[in-house]
Amino acid sequence: KEDDNGITKEMLIADCIARYPATEKIFREFFGKGCSTCPGSKREDISYGSMIHNVAIDAVLKALNSAIKR
């Protein structure tokens, strides 16, 4: 899911990486280096990933959206 604000917390992690390859580096920084190959990335949204990795969703979204605007 995407709106005028770019990447949203409801987007699936794998979909986000596929659509915006530059975000893979951000996911690695916040969620660990195995994020892009984890089977859960195809089912889990960014909000859930943030929760299970104990990182602030706002920080993740800010970094992701900055990565796609470069």
Side-chain angles (χ1 to χ4, degrees), residues 12-68:
L12 295 179
I13 295 168
D15 290 349
C16 185
I17 293 171
R19 186 169 185 172
Y20 306 108
T23 62
E24 184 171 358
K25 179 181 177 193
I26 306 302
F27 283 114
R28 285 182 181 181
E29 289 173 13
F30 283 96
F31 298 169
K33 60 183 176 180
C35 188
S36 60
T37 58
C38 173
S41 69
K42 294 176 178 59
R43 300 183 309 273
E44 297 166 0
D45 62 24
I46 297 168
S47 178
Y48 183 77
S50 296
M51 181 187 71
I52 64 170
H53 290 283
N54 199 29
V55 294
I57 183 65
D58 293 339
V60 175
L61 289 175
K62 183 176 180 180
L64 290 170
N65 281 296
S66 290
I68 66 171

